[in-house]
Amino acid sequence: MRNQFNILLSLIIFFAFTMHSCQSKTETETEKIATKQGIIVPKIDSLKYSEKYCCVLSPEQGFSVYDNPKGKIIGTLKRMGNIKEDNQVPYKIYLVTGDKKVKIENFREISSEIFAINYTDSAEGFVKVVDSSKSYWLSVAEIEKNGFKTVNWRDQMIEQSKGVLGYYANEPGLRLRKEPNSKSEIIGSVRGDLFEIKLTKNISGQWCKVKVTKYKEHPCNTDLEEAENIESQTEGWLKIIDDNGEPNLWSYTRGC
């Protein structure tokens, strides 16, 4: 009888440990997804608006481009040209390899006329840039040495939440849940730009606790007073980062 009890106890402990390990693994994986992609911005936020870095945010000397994390340098990502001859120079960055230069187009507008180099992966102190299908990497140590930093999308959105007009759910919308997981009770749905989302610093992997305000009319196009215009307010959890590491939210970077 005692042997049977010991076997049963061992099985209970084994399954409890296994479930805990699976849960920890899942939490680790979702945290990795939530932080794998982001942007490169000046360490001092106000320098985003400095002529020195404007308008595609980058130091004058650019960033060295590596063929792999801890690999060899194959070029430089930098601005080229004379602003006296071309007033669009601040908006142009090139991948320069020897005498060859390729104009890069895929940046992210993070404020009115302010663009950031975005990265699509991170590994071993490097971030992947320019083209997710090719192997172009920047050193995080060099980025920081030049007065810049890497910020994942989740942290960037939370940091900017108070300053933007509001965040809105990508189509086809998001489900607001009671807890930060896809099996939790649904307490509402968020879709379109009448549902304004404010983020809190309460996070869990790809999820963030939010405050959602449903307006009768969009705040940019109404004569109603703010209090009169509010239809409802709700708190809950939204999955603000999708399974590819991209934001599930958007904002009006140029205001109303």
Side-chain angles (χ1 to χ4, degrees), residues 80-123:
M80 299 286 287
N82 188 331
I83 193 168
K84 292 181 180 179
E85 298 173 359
D86 180 5
N87 62 9
Q88 293 300 301
V89 165
Y91 297 92
K92 299 176 182 178
I93 281 190
Y94 297 85
L95 175 59
V96 183
T97 55
D99 295 330
K100 182 180 179 182
K101 63 177 186 179
V102 179
K103 186 179 176 182
I104 306 303
E105 302 285 358
N106 53 334
F107 303 117
R108 301 296 181 91
E109 187 172 23
I110 60 171
S111 186
S112 181
E113 297 293 321
I114 303 295
F115 301 83
I117 298 169
N118 62 295
Y119 61 91
T120 57
D121 201 357
S122 55

Side-chain angles (χ1 to χ4, degrees), residues 28-40:
T28 301
E29 288 174 347
T30 58
E31 180 65 23
K32 184 177 180 180
I33 292 170
T35 57
K36 69 181 291 189
Q37 297 197 37
I39 54 177
I40 299 169

Side-chain angles (χ1 to χ4, degrees), residues 48-57 79 90 113-114:
K48 288 188 304 188
Y49 308 101
S50 166
E51 287 188 14
K52 181 179 179 180
Y53 297 140
C54 183
C55 291
V56 179
L57 300 172
R79 281 194 292 270
E113 297 293 321
I114 303 295

Side-chain angles (χ1 to χ4, degrees), residues 127-152:
V127 289
K128 192 175 187 180
V129 297
V130 178
D131 187 336
S132 60
S133 67
K134 296 180 181 179
S135 194
Y136 299 131
W137 297 80
L138 306 185
S139 163
V140 174
E142 181 186 334
I143 289 169
E144 293 180 347
K145 184 179 179 181
N146 285 327
F148 282 68
K149 63 181 179 179
T150 58
V151 185
N152 64 68

